């Protein structure tokens, strides 16, 4: 999780993707670009990465497991945005939202 100093205290900052419906890597990256990255820019210095609680629904988990390159590619895409996964939340519920 991201730790920053504010008023002499260490504050840990993370973002849960559970509030966004995304069933593919493309959908995850779209909402990250439209919601999470702008929020990160407002809350954190540019050099501070933001930790994610990444929700993995069944379809997304299948997509990531279908290719040995899929998970590293997602990790690289996140890093390019200044994001990283610190919690993976897997659920087999279809259409959770």
């Amino acid at each position: 999780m991201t730790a920053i100093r504010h008023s002499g205290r260490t504050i840990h900052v993370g973002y849960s993707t559970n509030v966004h419906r995304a069933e593919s890597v493309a959908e995850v990256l779209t909402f990250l670009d439209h919601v999470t990255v702008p929020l990160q820019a407002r809350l954190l210095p540019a050099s501070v990465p933001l930790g994610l609680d990444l929700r993995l629904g069944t379809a997304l988990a299948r997509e990531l497991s279908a290719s040995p390159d899929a998970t590293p590619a997602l990790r690289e895409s996140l890093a390019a945005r200044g994001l990283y996964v610190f919690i993976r939340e897997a659920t087999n519920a279809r259409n959770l939202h």
Side-chain angles (χ1 to χ4, degrees):
M1 191 179 298
T2 302
I4 59 173
R5 300 284 297 167
H6 179 70
S7 300
R9 298 181 359 194
T10 299
I11 300 171
H12 294 276
V13 180
Y15 187 83
S16 176
T17 65
N18 192 33
V19 299
H20 303 280
R21 181 177 178 173
E23 298 300 328
S24 70
V25 171
E27 290 175 355
V28 168
L29 296 177
T30 296
F31 83 69
L32 290 175
D33 286 341
H34 288 101
V35 177
T36 310
V37 171
L39 180 65
Q40 173 191 24
R42 288 182 58 202
L43 296 176
L44 299 172
S47 63
V48 178
L50 179 65
L52 296 176
D53 168 1
L54 182 63
R55 176 192 172 269
L56 297 175
T58 303
L60 180 55
R62 284 187 181 136
E63 181 181 346
L64 291 173
S65 65
S67 166
D69 297 328
T71 299
L74 176 59
R75 188 179 303 118
E76 290 173 16
S77 293
L78 295 176
R81 291 165 170 81
L83 306 169
Y84 67 96
V85 175
F86 69 91
I87 296 174
R88 284 173 294 286
E89 178 184 337
T91 177
N92 64 359
R94 296 201 194 284
N95 299 324
L96 181 63
H97 295 99

